[in-house]
């Protein structure tokens, strides 16, 4: 896990929107999207769309179009990896 990914998971103990993450972490959107893709691929983060209560499987094409409207939450696996670091 990169330092950037660690910082993202640090913000995802609770459901957080893409825009909130971007603002809190002061990350450029392309970097944030890339890191989130990586975390989802490792099963460390789950995607919620169109609201905070609806988990969806990750779809790269949909994420490219609507990623700014997604919400994210760290998974149990992601939290364990984060806390063991």
């Amino acid at each position: 896990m990169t330092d950037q990914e660690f910082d993202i998971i640090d913000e995802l103990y609770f459901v957080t929107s893409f825009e909130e993450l971007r603002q809190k972490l002061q990350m450029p959107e392309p970097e944030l999207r890339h890191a989130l893709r990586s975390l989802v691929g490792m099963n460390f983060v789950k995607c919620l769309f169109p609201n905070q209560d609806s988990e969806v499987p990750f779809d790269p094409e949909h994420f490219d179009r609507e990623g700014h409207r997604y919400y994210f939450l760290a998974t149990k696996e992601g939290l364990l990896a984060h806390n063991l670091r």
Side-chain angles (χ1 to χ4, degrees):
M1 178 184 314
T2 66
D3 289 342
Q4 197 174 53
E5 291 167 344
F6 182 88
D7 291 343
I8 291 169
I9 289 182
D10 207 37
E11 297 294 332
L12 296 179
Y13 276 73
F14 300 98
V15 175
T16 307
S17 73
F18 181 88
E19 287 302 319
E20 286 177 280
L21 275 176
R22 193 177 61 73
Q23 289 174 5
K24 284 182 182 178
L25 298 172
Q26 295 293 300
M27 288 177 68
E29 188 171 326
E31 285 181 34
L32 180 57
R33 283 179 183 267
H34 178 75
L36 285 166
R37 283 176 184 259
S38 175
L39 289 166
V40 169
M42 290 186 282
N43 203 33
F44 286 178
V45 170
K46 59 183 171 180
C47 301
L48 307 161
F49 182 85
N51 57 52
Q52 299 180 37
D53 300 318
S54 302
E55 185 176 352
V56 294
F58 185 74
D59 175 354
E61 290 179 21
H62 191 261
F63 183 66
D64 286 344
R65 286 190 317 273
E66 301 291 333
H68 63 282
R69 295 180 48 214
Y70 274 47
Y71 294 86
F72 300 92
L73 181 65
T75 63
K76 182 178 179 181
E77 187 177 348
L79 294 174
L80 287 171
H82 179 263
N83 289 328
L84 291 175
R85 186 168 169 203

